[in-house]
Amino acid sequence: MISLDFNFNILTRDLSHYLENQVKVGLFGSGVGLSLVLGFSAAYTCYYLISVAKKPQLISGGKKFYHFLREQCPVVSETYYPTFWCWESRIQTLLRPFVTAKPGVIYRNELIKAADGGQISLDWFDNDDSLSHPDPATRPTVLLLPGLTGTSRESYILHMVQQSRDLGYRCVVFNNRGVSGETLLTPRTYCAANTEDLETVIEHIQRTYEAAPLMAAGVSMGGMMLANYLGRKGRETCLKGVVVFSAGWDVFECTASLEKPLDRFLFNSYLTSCLQASVHRHRPVLEKCYDIDHVMKARTIREFDERFTSIMFGYPTNDDYYRDASPVHRLKSVQVPMLCLNAADDVFSPSHAIPVEAVKQNPNLAMLITHHGGHIGFLEGLWPRQSTYMDRVFKQFAKAVIEQGNRLKDLS
């Protein structure tokens, strides 16, 4: 802090000296204009370094997992420098899909059958050119779960595939029913609380590559589904580790936050329309069981869930669904190493609902909280096109789990 104050004093002195000796020009002359620009730039830089760029907070329920992360994932200890021209939460959230690049990835699609007669679409990136793991039978596999209306073509998914490719791993993306262009065979889609399709997918991957280590990464609702799955399964899973990004831990708090006027305008209405568009695409099979006209009149995610999701999955009320979908209630039962990344300014998952105390009670959990980052934003660098802070967390943690996973056994 002494160094920062000293630098600030020097900067102020130099600026004052420059202003005093500025060439005398009119109020709107170039000298005054340059002075104003320099003054604003200096003030903005000081504000950014003091209030915006901060080290993340790492919380864990056990010392063993905490020290493992500090040692194997240096990103958890580094200062996060959000992109200086778009560090605000909503701007990060809105710009990420447009600013970040979409790496070229060629998938191999596979459709597998579900117990109810439906089908699940999996997009595989086999990485047959892997030098570090040339044998497909033992090549590590990373299962990726996109967000609420996301698919394997989302930029954040493509970035994780790219990071996995660099590590020599294979990836498979679990697309929720009906969102990636496949035909909906039964009147059932998906929700954060129901993990039956996820269990089917994990069992299928394990049968296909029995000798290959398997880990998973979930984003937003995909992360919620993963956390709920781990909470239900306990030790009865083949997953070696899990990383979760921008999950909503308490659905009541998430929906309440998104119903605030600005966030409803920016995010809630758009996501509701995306959900309705998916329903409309599959109307012929869904209208046999649900009042689709009523669903299409929903104006918020809560109204959509009241009219469609909670009814589809048999909940007496929407509150019952939201309670069951909230991963916070199952964190105590997680028995697999799980790292969670949330931004304190994420309007989808407000900071007061981040389950810090629950994480402290389970040695298998770790929570990494950045001061800024928004929802699946985490943009950094002058022009954050190729990589984000979230990408770096994913890559380092995936490598640590796959290559140092034996050290994560028995974290209690």
Side-chain angles (χ1 to χ4, degrees):
M1 195 65 185
I2 295 175
S3 176
L4 186 61
D5 291 340
F6 177 73
N7 291 336
F8 180 73
N9 290 333
I10 294 176
L11 184 61
T12 305
R13 183 196 65 199
D14 290 347
L15 278 172
S16 299
H17 179 75
Y18 173 79
L19 291 171
E20 290 172 1
N21 293 277
Q22 184 62 258
V23 177
K24 304 303 181 182
V25 295
L27 179 62
F28 299 101
S30 61
V32 173
L34 181 59
S35 299
L36 291 174
V37 169
L38 289 173
F40 174 80
S41 299
Y44 186 85
T45 300
C46 290
Y47 176 80
Y48 176 87
L49 293 174
I50 294 171
S51 301
V52 177
K54 293 180 179 292
K55 287 188 176 182
Q57 181 183 9
L58 179 62
I59 302 146
S60 179
K63 291 183 179 180
K64 188 174 180 180
F65 196 16
Y66 178 86
H67 290 303
F68 175 86
L69 290 171
R70 298 267 297 188
E71 177 186 332
Q72 298 297 322
C73 306
V75 67
V76 305
S77 305
E78 298 171 0
T79 299
Y80 167 48
Y81 293 93
T83 299
F84 77 95
W85 51 269
C86 65
W87 51 263
E88 197 275 333
S89 168
R90 296 170 183 84
I91 298 176
Q92 284 243 344
T93 304
L94 291 168
L95 286 185
R96 179 201 49 77
F98 305 102
V99 172
T100 54
K102 287 193 172 185
V105 174
I106 299 176
Y107 290 114
R108 170 177 62 86
N109 183 256
E110 179 184 18
L111 295 175
I112 64 174
K113 290 294 183 181
D116 70 332
Q119 61 182 358
I120 304 168
S121 176
L122 301 179
D123 282 325
W124 291 86
F125 177 74
D126 295 304
N127 202 9
D128 288 330
D129 296 327
S130 173
L131 297 178
S132 55
H133 300 279
D135 184 1
T138 58
R139 185 177 302 142
T141 304
V142 182
L143 171 62
L144 303 176
L145 282 72
L148 180 62
T149 59
T151 70
S152 60
R153 291 296 171 186
E154 304 302 322
S155 61
Y156 56 81
I157 292 292
L158 294 172
H159 278 233
M160 286 193 282
V161 173
Q162 183 182 51
Q163 302 284 352
S164 300
R165 177 176 58 196
D166 294 343
L167 292 170
Y169 305 159
R170 169 176 47 230
C171 281
V172 54
V173 184
F174 165 35
N175 298 294
N176 287 306
R177 293 199 204 187
V179 301
S180 62
E182 80 282 6
T183 302
L184 198 64
L185 300 181
T186 59
R188 168 173 164 161
T189 56
Y190 59 93
C191 75
N194 189 283
T195 59
E196 292 174 359
D197 282 359
L198 177 57
E199 292 178 34
T200 299
V201 168
I202 291 175
E203 290 169 2
H204 173 73
I205 297 171
Q206 186 181 28
R207 286 195 305 269
T208 306
Y209 297 105
E210 294 181 353
L214 174 64
M215 69 161 292
V219 181
S220 192
M221 195 205 74
M224 297 166 65
M225 190 182 293
L226 260 179
N228 281 325
Y229 163 82
L230 290 180
R232 287 192 174 104
K233 301 297 285 186
R235 295 188 182 276
E236 297 177 4
T237 177
C238 60
L239 295 179
K240 304 301 181 185
V242 165
V243 59
V244 168
F245 301 106
S246 296
W249 299 103
D250 186 323
V251 182
F252 292 101
E253 296 295 338
C254 296
T255 51
S257 178
L258 288 173
E259 287 170 353
K260 295 177 181 178
L262 179 58
D263 299 317
R264 175 170 175 167
F265 171 75
L266 291 175
F267 307 113
N268 202 324
S269 297
Y270 171 73
L271 287 173
T272 303
S273 68
C274 290
L275 290 167
Q276 290 170 323
S278 181
V279 169
H280 181 71
R281 283 196 301 273
H282 303 290
R283 183 166 188 146
V285 67
L286 293 173
E287 63 183 359
K288 300 173 184 177
C289 302
Y290 311 103
D291 185 351
I292 301 303
D293 289 335
H294 189 48
V295 173
M296 299 304 288
K297 293 177 182 177
R299 292 293 174 264
T300 64
I301 295 174
R302 187 193 298 270
E303 289 182 1
F304 179 89
D305 288 335
E306 288 172 346
R307 302 174 187 192
F308 185 73
T309 313
S310 61
I311 297 172
M312 173 177 287
F313 289 93
Y315 290 96
T317 67
N318 195 58
D319 282 357
D320 290 309
Y321 163 51
Y322 278 6
R323 192 172 297 108
D324 196 35
S326 300
V328 64
H329 305 302
R330 294 192 177 91
L331 290 180
K332 62 180 180 295
S333 302
V334 173
Q335 297 298 315
V336 171
M338 183 168 76
L339 172 63
C340 313
L341 173 64
N342 279 86
D345 63 353
D346 184 354
V347 298
F348 284 70
S349 185
S351 59
H352 64 269
I354 296 176
V356 172
E357 293 305 316
V359 169
K360 290 180 179 179
Q361 303 305 314
N362 187 336
N364 297 290
L365 301 178
M367 179 71 69
L368 187 64
I369 306 174
T370 58
H371 194 62
H372 294 283
H375 187 69
I376 328 175
F378 302 103
L379 303 177
E380 62 180 358
L382 181 62
W383 184 246
R385 186 158 178 78
Q386 301 303 324
S387 180
T388 68
Y389 181 80
M390 174 176 140
D391 295 337
R392 293 197 291 131
V393 171
F394 167 78
K395 186 174 184 179
Q396 292 182 17
F397 185 71
K399 182 178 181 181
V401 167
I402 296 298
E403 300 181 12
Q404 302 289 333
N406 289 334
R407 294 177 54 188
L408 292 175
K409 292 180 179 179
D410 190 23
L411 289 175
S412 58

